Amino acid sequence: MASTFAVLADPSRREILDLLRAGERPVGDLVDRLTLTQPTVSKHLKVLREAGLVDVRQEAQRRWYRIRPAPLAEVDAWLAPYRRMWENSLDALERHLDAMPDDPTPPGPTPHHATPPDPTPPDPNPHHAASHHAIPPTSTPRDRTPHHPTPPDPTPHGSSPPAPSRPRTAPHEGNQG
């Protein structure tokens, strides 16, 4: 049994078994469908064959492989108690969810939605002319730093700026032929 689990631990071997589930296949077909070389596929098939997970039959120059279900039935039998454990847990979850009310609102009176409070603090001196509703000062320390705005990009978005122009030069008069 442990050797079957060791054999199945390799993802390439599991992929080979997945391909063989559809039916018997020649080695060349397995190589074409896997990202493995032919010698590597042959080594994996040998391990699967020695573990009793696949059978091989020779037809002329071709070897055809198929799954042997008996060792997989042993793995399935070993997994059965774990499957029952999961089924019991899932059944308990289903019963719990079925017992929950379908209405997502909590039981009790309908909550009243109050208007949110005003986030501005109350004016400590409501008679003062410069209350919190007054216009803020126009100059802050951040505003006193020199600011040099970047000129706008003259090119429309998605187009390249024009290539810089070269000064035009007169053709050379001495090399005309």
Side-chain angles (χ1 to χ4, degrees):
M1 179 62 75
S3 65
T4 301
F5 282 105
V7 170
L8 293 175
D10 186 281
S12 296
R13 293 185 197 126
R14 290 194 309 270
E15 193 172 1
I16 290 170
L17 290 174
D18 288 342
L19 290 171
L20 292 175
R21 264 190 332 206
E24 194 175 55
R25 292 183 186 264
V27 176
D29 185 49
L30 294 170
V31 171
D32 290 343
R33 293 176 182 270
L34 299 167
T35 57
L36 303 171
T37 64
Q38 192 277 328
T40 303
V41 171
S42 292
K43 287 178 186 178
H44 284 300
L45 287 168
K46 179 181 178 188
V47 171
L48 289 167
R49 190 178 67 246
E50 289 174 351
L53 290 164
V54 297
D55 276 333
V56 63
R57 75 176 171 87
Q58 184 101 19
E59 185 180 281
Q61 296 296 321
R62 299 177 94 180
R63 289 177 177 245
W64 290 76
Y65 285 85
R66 67 180 169 268
I67 288 181
R68 286 193 62 237
L72 295 174
E74 291 173 17
V75 171
D76 186 55
W78 184 84
L79 287 171
Y82 299 96
R83 193 175 301 111
R84 280 192 299 277
M85 178 184 70
W86 276 106
E87 287 170 358
N88 292 338
S89 296
L90 292 173
D91 288 344
L93 175 61
E94 183 179 20
R95 285 189 302 276
H96 174 74
L97 293 174
D98 287 344
M100 292 178 65
D102 289 336
D103 187 9
T105 58
T110 305
H112 296 285
H113 297 287
T115 306
D118 185 6
T120 57
D123 188 11
N125 188 356
H127 301 294
H128 188 266
S131 69
H132 70 277
H133 296 288
I135 298 173
T138 57
S139 177
T140 63
R142 186 183 64 187
D143 294 330
R144 291 186 194 124
T145 58
H147 179 66
H148 302 288
T150 306
D153 185 7
T155 60
H157 292 291
S159 65
S160 302
S165 60
R166 292 186 175 167
R168 295 182 181 232
T169 57
H172 295 289
E173 295 177 13
N175 292 340
Q176 289 187 359

